[in-house]
Amino acid sequence: MTKIRLHLIAAAAVLCASAASAQAPAKLKVGLMLPYTGTYASLGTAIENGFKQYVAEQGGKLGGREIEFVKVDDESDPSKATDNVNKLIKRDNVDVLIGSVHSGVAMAMAKVAKDTGTLLIVPNAGADAVTGAMCAQNIFRSSFSNWQPGYAMGEVVAKKGHKKVVTITWKYAAGDESVRGFKEAFEKGGGKVVKELSVPFPNVEFQALLTEIAATRPDAVYTFFAGGGAVKFVKDYAGAGLKKSIPLYGAGFLTDGTLEAQGLDADGLLTTLHYADALGTPRDTSFRLAYAKAYKQQPDVYAVQGYDAAQMLGVGLAAVKGDTSKKAEFADALHKAKIDSPRGPFTISRFNNPVQDIYLRQVTGKENKLVGVASKALADPGRGCRL
Ligand code: PHB
């Protein structure tokens, strides 16, 4: 072979290689900012698992772009949240933020996302402000607002004829807003919240407050706790002898992902949430089988929310052909979409929060069994949002 021919072949090879790399879009960097330690650690893991399950089902790509992950443990600590999210944006150059579980952390993320225009999908935290006063075109939620399950349970408890309720929760946005949603519907239905009790997050010293509940003798108790704190609260409530005398109702986080640890102390509890075990739909059944196979455990609401965060990202990215700078088109696609969730199909409100059925569930053995739909297509009012 002549020298010239060799040069030509080499040049052609270089051209082909650069043409191929020009065609393959850059990987999409997804920053997972979730708790991997502390009372919400298992919630963060379930969200990551669900997210990765959907991406794997799509062959590792969304909107034509291969997905690459960067992870940070936010420890459910709002005081570290701004630094953590800035690192993801400035040091790691993520294209999309996924996080978090804790409402205080999510509000810090929302502020930075709004200031920098970075796309954010919240896969759990219910802080009403995220799709209310702090809302933005580039901030979405695949989960719920704290108001939603609380409001649905307020209607249920009022309809049961209870008149006098004590509430107990962690003193931070999620607890406060869950109680506020409950109270709004319960008092509209003729009941009265006679006492609002709380402990600081993530404190689990409940004894003094349980004694106070026993002395107050309400018709029922409404609560928001989740993760490790929910396990301890349900066990302590039963241990104090209250389960027999004063019915306990909660936002469904009280018994989701926690039943193995709560055992019989959770049996019979009624909660409201946008998911239940054994919904029995083909969509949910195939999701649950695939999740159990991949992760050797049963999925919970957090796994579903992670899965749906990835679905929402996929819908938006498909509409903008992988170009995250096209924010209006991305949002437009989500507002028109019906998300085919294991929880049942849901839509996205103009405030970027799911409009979804809230189920009434009852703990039976190790499952949150579906009792019925407590509130059909419940939409958060998006108070304070100007979009
Ligand atoms: C929240 O902080 O918004 C939060 C945390 C855990 C849950 C639900 C809501 O299970």
Side-chain angles (χ1 to χ4, degrees):
M1 213 182 283
T2 66
K3 228 176 170 186
I4 288 204
R5 270 189 81 188
L6 275 176
H7 275 306
L8 280 176
I9 290 167
V14 168
L15 274 176
C16 282
S18 63
S21 70
Q23 268 167 17
K27 286 186 180 175
L28 186 91
K29 261 197 178 181
V30 173
L32 295 177
M33 185 162 148
L34 294 166
Y36 294 104
T37 52
T39 199
Y40 289 158
S42 62
L43 288 59
T45 302
I47 289 168
E48 178 180 340
N49 289 348
F51 194 99
K52 289 187 166 168
Q53 179 177 333
Y54 184 74
V55 173
E57 284 172 5
Q58 306 307 306
K61 285 187 184 174
L62 296 178
R65 291 177 72 176
E66 226 175 287
I67 304 294
E68 180 184 343
F69 292 100
V70 188
K71 280 166 61 165
V72 59
D73 176 8
D74 66 40
E75 304 167 52
S76 295
D77 186 346
S79 75
K80 297 181 182 164
T82 303
D83 277 353
N84 279 331
V85 73
N86 275 325
K87 264 187 231 150
L88 283 173
I89 294 173
K90 295 190 181 127
R91 184 193 63 192
D92 301 321
N93 281 313
V94 300
D95 299 293
V96 182
L97 290 164
I98 304 292
S100 184
V101 168
H102 184 287
S103 273
V105 174
M107 282 192 279
M109 294 182 80
K111 170 140 193 3
V112 177
K114 190 166 181 162
D115 291 349
T116 59
T118 313
L119 182 59
L120 166 65
I121 304 179
V122 178
N124 181 69
D128 291 345
V130 165
T131 54
M134 302 176 80
C135 72
Q137 192 184 39
N138 56 311
I139 301 176
F140 299 88
R141 185 148 49 193
S142 66
S143 51
F144 61 95
S145 73
N146 289 321
W147 178 91
Q148 282 177 309
Y151 188 87
M153 189 47 108
E155 291 187 329
V156 169
V157 175
K159 276 191 204 126
K160 283 194 179 290
H162 297 306
K163 294 287 175 223
K164 222 175 88 173
V165 162
V166 170
T167 64
I168 178 166
T169 188
W170 273 316
K171 186 80 208 140
Y172 81 105
D176 292 345
E177 293 170 357
S178 183
V179 164
R180 211 178 299 150
F182 172 84
K183 190 171 169 178
E184 186 181 329
F186 181 57
E187 297 200 338
K188 212 188 277 175
K192 178 94 192 120
V193 171
V194 294
K195 214 173 244 182
E196 297 183 27
L197 303 174
S198 61
V199 290
F201 176 88
N203 191 324
V204 290
E205 297 308 315
F206 302 125
Q207 284 313 324
L209 296 184
L210 293 174
T211 306
E212 193 171 341
I213 290 172
T216 309
R217 298 174 56 179
D219 300 336
V221 168
Y222 173 77
T223 191
F224 167 90
F225 287 108
V231 172
K232 173 88 168 28
F233 183 76
V234 163
K235 292 189 94 50
D236 285 3
Y237 195 84
L242 292 175
K243 191 168 175 234
K244 294 189 295 286
S245 49
I246 307 172
L248 176 65
Y249 300 94
F253 315 106
L254 188 69
T255 57
D256 229 82
T258 56
L259 291 175
E260 287 294 334
Q262 287 164 334
L264 275 179
D265 290 338
D267 207 47
L269 291 181
L270 285 167
T271 64
T272 40
L273 203 62
H274 46 289
Y275 190 55
D277 297 316
L279 283 173
T281 58
R283 181 72 179 101
D284 186 47
T285 305
S286 64
F287 162 78
R288 292 182 75 93
L289 284 173
Y291 189 94
K293 191 165 169 221
Y295 304 111
K296 314 288 174 246
Q297 57 184 339
Q298 288 304 312
D300 54 21
V301 70
Y302 309 105
V304 172
Q305 293 169 171
Y307 187 85
D308 291 340
Q311 289 211 69
M312 286 170 61
L313 180 58
V315 166
L317 284 176
V320 299
K321 302 198 170 45
D323 181 354
T324 50
S325 69
K326 294 188 171 158
K327 294 196 192 89
E329 291 93 325
F330 188 102
D332 207 38
L334 280 169
H335 294 151
K336 290 188 182 129
K338 189 183 258 188
I339 307 298
D340 187 17
S341 171
R343 77 188 82 171
F346 69 86
T347 56
I348 314 284
S349 75
R350 64 194 175 92
F351 313 118
N352 297 342
N353 192 64
V355 178
Q356 56 193 340
D357 293 351
I358 306 290
Y359 303 111
L360 178 64
R361 313 106 48 86
Q362 182 160 39
V363 177
T364 313
K366 294 284 152 59
E367 285 197 334
N368 286 290
K369 279 253 156 70
L370 179 68
V371 175
V373 175
S375 201
K376 186 92 196 132
L378 186 63
D380 182 272
R383 290 172 184 137
C385 175
R386 313 231 176 294
L387 270 181

